[in-house]
Amino acid sequence: LDLDIDWSDVFKHVRGVSKTNPFWNELSASNPFVHDIAASNRNENNKYLSVLKEKPYLFSKVSSNRDSLASSGDELDIDCLLRKTLARRSGRSKSVSDFLDIVDNQRFNPRKTTPQKTIASDMTWLQNDREAYKMAWLSHRQLTRSCLDLEAMSHSPGWAQTQATDIHVVCKLNHEGGSVQLPDSDINIHVPVGHVLPGEFQEVGLKAILNPPSWFNNELSSTVSPLIELTLSNLNTREAIFLEVKVAAKVKNDPLSQVMSDIVCFYSLNKEGPFKKLENCYTYQDTIQVKLTDLSHVMYAVIAVQANKIQPPATNVWDYVHRTVSVGIYGPKYIHPTFTAVFTVFGHNYIPGKLTICDIKKGGKNMPPVVFQLWGKHTFLLEKPQDLNISLVSCDPDFEVKMEDQSKNIKEEELKTGEMVRQQFLFSMLGCREMHFFVFLVQIKVLKSSQVTQFHVTTPDPAPKLSGIINRPKRLQNRKEIKSAPLLLIPTVKYPKFQDKTLSVNTYGVALKTVLRQNKIDYLLEYFKGDTIALLGEDKVKAIGQTKIKEWYVGVLRRKIGLVHCKNIKVISKEQAMDTADSELTTRNLVEQIALPFKKLTYIYSVVLSTVSESVYDWRALAEVLGYSHMSLDDFNEAHADKESERVAHVVKRMKEDCHANKKKRLFLYELIVALLRIDCQGLVARLTQDTIILTSAVKLGKYWRELAEKLARLTKQQIEAYEVPHQGKNGTVALEMMWKPAYDFLYTWGAHYGDSYRDVLQDLQSALDKMKNPVTKHWRELTGTLILVNCMEVLRASAFSKMEEE
């Protein structure tokens, strides 16, 4: 793999002394007290290697530098979280797998590979006091996400790059019913016509848990399917549903087997049981169909072969059935000079396309979990559980299987448990030859008989060469002397000029009643009967009023923007409006009002800084709207002189410092959002809006995030606990002040499923919060304010920015 990175030296100990901490031998800047990791100094682009570790559907970034100069009550100085899409990540946070995905998709953008620098913490005053430095660092780290397992990751950065692999499908069905199939499986749910009332919907979720309950596997019983998790959203049903599964066995045709054994379904409302045997089952050869009448939001089912009793010469239930065994060969996405292939035996016929392997060993030590891809699969008949011998043989002379891994055994007792059984085989390339895919032979021998099963597996291609991508910024620097060559491969962007003029409104509403509130509510308008209200668009916002959830229009009255209840106005056209003087508003006033929620939102400064510096391409345009039109290139030091992104970051930092010098009159995030709206960076504003709302919601919710998780994603108790485990203290619980962390993890993951549909994220989050037992939105209205913001973007762009080039 031509990486231009000497992996063996990446983590060697460097004895140099850090400028900010004399006790730190240039080890990982994310944790100065872990002495097993050091950053490579071979070149600037690879000085810090990001390592990812799986949280429940969420990845976080261990930042190498952090700006801690300013932290106010309305912000949390937390390590930069990864952007939800690969294209938005900074170069420093990209892993090798990320670069490979860029090559696959041919979406390389040289600008993105350049790391963004942030101001390092000024801790020089602690140079002579190690204990004081340690306590200051720990205090600084207090609000960050839980540390990764750096000790394990230090030995190989690649092993920590994981992803979620649970196969889970959700389908929304109406009154007419339908079928839902788990991808790449023979597991189906059939919903009949009339299952729900006309106009209602049923969301059906299917998930396969690879290891079925162990207590079903004994002499009289053996599982022949994975544990199936079935979820339903609507329990107001009229018809039962049917589960259909193709299993890994069928009862033999002889009379004794037909009488003594049967394929049955066990059912439970809890993953741990107790399970009960269902009677409404129909079996045809290796397929079983089960009628489910006792419905719940979450249900579990598993199919097993069960014998009444064992009658000699039979020794266990396997003797009554033709039992098939499924095997899968898993490996990395790309082959490398040395790689591990995993041979996996399943107790059922469901073979997933991806598998998380948790017991990988490298250098005699366990590695963090890693996701392997399915390379090949095979199914064969095994009359009874027996000892198996597995061997892998390379068909290519350029590759070999490590000597001690060439042949391995699987015990009879392991097959009886019904759980996955895995064996690892280490492949390596001979000599320094060119990498290429190859074929190897998998042989399965039954030790107590002459049965031999074999099949061939073709490996994937080797990883694409990355040296061109990784070294591109350095080559650009070498080309600076060539005047005909561009210094940067960033497109020239000319930002439009903001025009302060009256809004152009096409729709109005006439108030049908007077609404004056004794308890004033932010972002809700007050009006008298007969008032003419300008409507900024025809889209409706769902939000809680005084007592219940209503639909609202975004309106303007007496130079104030807010929501007006749809039922309280009659919508009219511009031509029908009589007196519109009270509903006029300028574009400048519009921008200042719709940005008001950002005065109270919690934000992560490092995220805001990196996001803005990546997304704004003209530092002069940003400086002008922020009030720094007097700035010139002479104001930048050498570190910020070359790259546009670093100049933009310098402008943002300058504004941050000025705001903190005058906290009573200036608020950083509010002024930044106003400036971005004034240069028409609406996509960037939408992204910042979603990030800050998710973080602030997590902080506001605290321990009540569990109720929200049940409403938004129907998380089970076990899934909720999985989010909280990484943040538990020594006593095994999450402290109340730390409860925002699992809440943020969940909301970030949930929001990522929407892709770029930021309006839907904000609206669905608003609706879910409004429906809680004690809605946090009763006293926290900033989410409503951001809904007003995103609904006003179109009218702002139409009025404040001319579509034609100015003369």
Side-chain angles (χ1 to χ4, degrees), residues 63-75:
S63 177
S64 57
N65 287 311
R66 186 186 300 111
D67 184 343
S68 64
L69 291 180
S71 57
S72 63
D74 63 344
E75 57 188 77

Side-chain angles (χ1 to χ4, degrees), residues 676-707:
L676 294 175
L677 288 173
R678 288 174 66 91
I679 57 174
D680 200 27
C681 290
Q682 293 194 357
L684 176 56
V685 170
R687 186 168 148 200
L688 292 172
T689 301
Q690 181 172 327
D691 287 350
T692 51
I693 278 294
I694 284 178
L695 179 63
T696 312
S697 299
V699 174
K700 292 287 182 183
L701 281 169
K703 65 180 180 180
Y704 298 105
W705 82 271
R706 299 164 182 161
E707 180 189 347

Side-chain angles (χ1 to χ4, degrees), residues 350-387:
Y350 174 56
I351 305 178
K354 294 181 181 179
L355 190 67
T356 302
I357 309 296
C358 301
D359 56 357
I360 292 290
K361 291 189 176 182
K362 195 172 181 70
K365 293 189 176 183
N366 288 327
M367 294 286 97
V370 63
V371 174
F372 275 19
Q373 316 286 324
L374 179 64
W375 285 2
K377 58 184 177 180
H378 188 74
T379 302
F380 66 97
L381 190 67
L382 187 64
E383 290 299 329
K384 59 181 179 180
Q386 302 177 67
D387 293 345

Side-chain angles (χ1 to χ4, degrees), residues 281-292:
C281 298
Y282 170 74
T283 306
Y284 177 72
Q285 293 187 352
D286 61 350
T287 301
I288 182 171
Q289 192 176 79
V290 185
K291 185 177 182 180
L292 302 177

Side-chain angles (χ1 to χ4, degrees), residues 620-669:
R620 293 182 188 275
L622 183 63
E624 186 175 346
V625 292
L626 284 174
Y628 301 116
S629 55
H630 59 278
M631 287 184 68
S632 66
L633 288 175
D634 297 334
D635 295 318
F636 298 99
N637 55 33
E638 292 183 4
H640 300 123
D642 294 337
K643 300 167 186 173
E644 194 71 20
S645 60
E646 292 177 355
R647 293 173 185 164
V648 172
H650 180 77
V651 173
V652 175
K653 292 171 190 174
R654 169 78 176 273
M655 196 262 288
K656 170 78 168 179
E657 293 166 2
D658 290 347
C659 287
H660 275 265
N662 190 7
K663 287 184 179 180
K664 293 183 179 180
K665 293 185 178 181
R666 301 186 64 181
L667 291 170
F668 165 71
L669 189 59

Side-chain angles (χ1 to χ4, degrees), residues 25 31 89 226 235 572 637:
N25 295 333
N31 188 344
R89 295 178 184 168
L235 297 183
I572 60 175
N637 55 33

